[in-house]
Amino acid sequence: MPERQPHDLAGPAEGQDGVLSDEDIYARLYTAIARQQLPPGTRLREDEIRQIFGVSRARIRTVFSRLAHTGIVTLEPNRGASVTRPSVKEAREVFAARRAIEGTIAREAVQHATKRDIARMRDHLMRERDADNRRDRTGMIRLSGEFHLLIAEIADNELLRRFLADLITRESLVILTYEQPGRPSCSNHEHEHILEAFARGDAEGAAKLMIEHLDAIEERLDFGDRQRSEIDLATILRGSAES
Amino acid sequence: MPERQPHDLAGPAEGQDGVLSDEDIYARLYTAIARQQLPPGTRLREDEIRQIFGVSRARIRTVFSRLAHTGIVTLEPNRGASVTRPSVKEAREVFAARRAIEGTIAREAVQHATKRDIARMRDHLMRERDADNRRDRTGMIRLSGEFHLLIAEIADNELLRRFLADLITRESLVILTYEQPGRPSCSNHEHEHILEAFARGDAEGAAKLMIEHLDAIEERLDFGDRQRSEIDLATILRGSAES
DNA sequence: GCGAAAATTTTTGCTAACAATCATTCTTGG
DNA sequence: CCAAGAATGATTGTTAGCAAAAATTTTCGC
């Protein structure tokens, strides 16, 4: 897993007179991490980021502090910032937190959903299928997360939507850290079942399917396998030293 | 509603060599706000806070930025920071978000709870009753929030616990803004019913009671009355100008 | 006396620069 | 040749100070 460098974070200037606001910078870094462009462990050096965005270091420190507060960036005193490498415990907490809220979000969203919302969901799944057919992995990851956020948007609670956005971003780091090659984490077949529950107005069904979907994502990761293989290697290496 | 000043935020130094870390400063301000010591609208001037804590302004700016990210402090460009005054919409979102997660948290907590946890809850309710009998309003508010956080702690998901802590802090601002005098917002009788559900291991019952408890808190506030009385005054004042 | 404009003060936004810490490279002794 | 220590460079942590914006006070004209 090579660490990618944050070279292309700067884009068209969004603020007044071409100056990026702290919020803009935060959003850029956040999005890059959410889209797995900056994998876990990527060093984020203040001076480099400040040059990329053309601002002073103090601005970057502020942004880093906020990113750290959401848990997607880790600050080490005197050593700087890096994209968070989630531990197994953290990973499991992210999934548990998602299960805790996404069932309820789905239920609320079904009760709020208009015909237009359902059409948006359909359109979204078509785009997921397109990306899947094109083997556009980055696009799939983005669209998968966005499907969940679309549901949260339909549920119409900004606090929950933002909390979920953070959880999804943290989960994208989990996926990069613990994913098994060739085994996609988020299935658009499962998304389609959820959409069907929405279309028939089945709030409890949607909630149940959502939780099962999240269970399935978690199962596709390999926390357990990784720990076992580490123990085996250590045993083997100790054995060969003693014989 | 007078605005209190942040004079007494500094306390015993907690960091190495008596220097407070950013985290310490964040925690101090957060706690003061959560305990309603700094009411909605309180101006937080950088220079004043920096003098109180004996650090540079840049440190304070970092802390303010993070507090603003949780929504409990509001930053206005070129005008500074103040404790957030929640709008009615925000207030309702806080309650809706709490209902969305606290039912699930209560359910999880019942399934995790040990005898020791139940004893801690009982002890906590005794302290609530003490505070109530002493008419210690500040203590009641703190302990009420802490009861909810104790349940989240028993549920053992740090992400949810922290999100709930933020929601509770935001709710304490809502209560200060919209509370009816003489009408306490959080009833320890309702807490006792919740504890009973815990003691008999009734996860669904606990979840249901928790949601009803939150409904009841929300009902005790007067979003509606306030809006209605404003409309009446405007109508009356316009009527007297035309006659 | 009142309102508007000007002047002054206060506060925020931001940067350059220095101190402190860590990481890397070089040197030295065994 | 290797390990330990020293030297050097890179990076973070922090502050002082200036520019810009907002708030407050003073002045002036009617």
Side-chain angles (χ1 to χ4, degrees), chain A residues 22 55-59 78-79:
Chain A
D22 289 1
V55 298
S56 75
R57 255 200 321 118
R59 305 280 303 283
N78 295 314
R79 302 186 62 171

Side-chain angles (χ1 to χ4, degrees), chain B residues 72-107:
Chain B
I72 67 171
V73 163
T74 298
L75 300 182
E76 288 185 81
N78 295 315
R79 302 187 61 172
S82 60
V83 178
T84 297
R85 273 199 172 105
S87 66
V88 171
K89 183 175 195 294
E90 282 162 359
R92 291 202 188 279
E93 279 192 342
V94 169
F95 277 100
R98 283 192 67 177
R99 280 191 292 264
I101 72 166
E102 278 198 74
T104 305
I105 287 174
R107 194 176 290 118

Side-chain angles (χ1 to χ4, degrees), chain A residues 137-188:
Chain A
R137 186 162 177 283
T138 301
M140 271 301 301
I141 287 157
R142 173 174 59 86
L143 287 162
S144 295
E146 284 174 5
F147 180 71
H148 291 258
L149 289 177
L150 175 54
I151 290 168
E153 189 185 316
I154 293 165
D156 196 30
N157 184 309
E158 181 63 13
L159 296 175
L160 287 177
R161 193 197 64 78
R162 283 178 63 176
F163 181 54
L164 179 60
D166 289 350
L167 291 179
I168 286 167
T169 302
R170 294 184 77 156
E171 190 196 298
S172 74
L173 299 179
V174 170
I175 287 167
L176 275 177
T177 306
Y178 298 106
E179 186 178 47
Q180 301 183 57
R183 213 175 164 193
S185 294
C186 207
S187 153
N188 53 22

Side-chain angles (χ1 to χ4, degrees), chain B residues 16 20 28 50 97-98 170 196 240:
Chain B
Q16 201 177 26
L20 292 168
R28 295 251 179 117
R50 89 155 188 85
R98 283 192 67 177
R170 294 183 76 159
E196 283 157 20
S240 64

Side-chain angles (χ1 to χ4, degrees), chain A:
Chain A
M1 189 191 309
E3 293 174 4
R4 297 234 347 236
Q5 299 307 319
H7 295 311
D8 54 354
L9 295 169
E14 293 184 29
Q16 200 176 30
D17 297 330
V19 178
L20 291 168
S21 69
D22 289 1
E23 293 293 333
D24 298 327
I25 297 167
Y26 177 91
R28 294 251 178 117
L29 286 163
Y30 190 99
T31 300
I33 294 167
R35 294 183 178 178
Q36 300 184 335
Q37 290 168 337
L38 304 178
T42 307
R43 283 293 314 283
L44 302 172
R45 291 186 313 104
E46 293 177 353
D47 205 54
E48 184 179 4
I49 306 296
R50 90 156 187 84
Q51 285 179 29
I52 288 170
F53 290 117
V55 298
S56 75
R57 255 200 321 118
R59 305 280 303 283
I60 302 302
R61 296 176 63 76
T62 298
V63 172
F64 280 2
S65 174
R66 291 172 77 164
L67 286 165
H69 201 58
T70 65
I72 69 172
V73 163
T74 299
L75 300 181
E76 289 184 79
N78 295 314
R79 302 186 62 171
S82 58
V83 178
T84 297
R85 274 200 171 105
S87 66
V88 171
K89 183 175 194 295
E90 283 162 359
R92 290 199 188 281
E93 280 190 343
V94 168
F95 278 100
R98 283 193 67 177
R99 279 190 293 265
I101 72 166
E102 279 196 73
T104 304
I105 287 174
R107 193 175 292 120
E108 291 286 326
V110 169
Q111 291 163 1
H112 270 79
T114 61
K115 283 197 198 304
R116 187 151 172 284
D117 292 325
I118 307 290
R120 283 168 74 199
M121 288 169 79
R122 285 197 203 284
D123 177 67
H124 194 99
L125 289 193
M126 277 179 57
R127 278 187 280 136
E128 275 188 25
R129 245 177 281 136
D130 281 353
D132 200 17
N133 292 339
R134 282 184 281 115
R135 298 183 191 271
D136 175 7
R137 186 162 177 283
T138 301
M140 271 301 301
I141 287 157
R142 173 174 59 86
L143 287 162
S144 295
E146 284 174 5
F147 180 71
H148 291 258
L149 289 177
L150 175 54
I151 290 168
E153 189 185 316
I154 293 165
D156 196 30
N157 184 309
E158 181 63 13
L159 296 175
L160 287 177
R161 193 197 64 78
R162 283 178 63 176
F163 181 54
L164 179 60
D166 289 350
L167 291 179
I168 286 167
T169 302
R170 294 184 77 156
E171 190 196 298
S172 74
L173 299 179
V174 170
I175 287 167
L176 275 177
T177 306
Y178 298 106
E179 186 178 47
Q180 301 183 57
R183 213 175 164 193
S185 294
C186 207
S187 153
N188 53 22
H189 292 294
E190 287 160 12
H191 284 181
E192 282 169 9
H193 293 314
I194 289 163
L195 172 58
E196 284 157 19
F198 266 75
R200 61 180 185 263
D202 178 8
E204 290 306 321
K208 186 167 181 293
L209 286 167
M210 180 61 84
I211 290 169
E212 284 169 3
H213 174 47
L214 295 172
D215 284 336
I217 299 174
E218 191 176 15
E219 266 194 30
R220 289 187 199 116
L221 301 176
D222 68 347
F223 310 127
D225 291 340
R226 181 179 289 257
Q227 288 173 342
R228 202 155 46 237
S229 67
E230 279 172 352
I231 290 166
D232 289 344
L233 286 172
T235 302
I236 289 164
L237 292 174
R238 276 196 289 261
S240 63
E242 287 162 2
S243 63

Side-chain angles (χ1 to χ4, degrees), chain B residues 56-59 78-79:
Chain B
S56 75
R57 256 200 320 122
R59 307 279 302 285
N78 295 315
R79 302 187 61 172

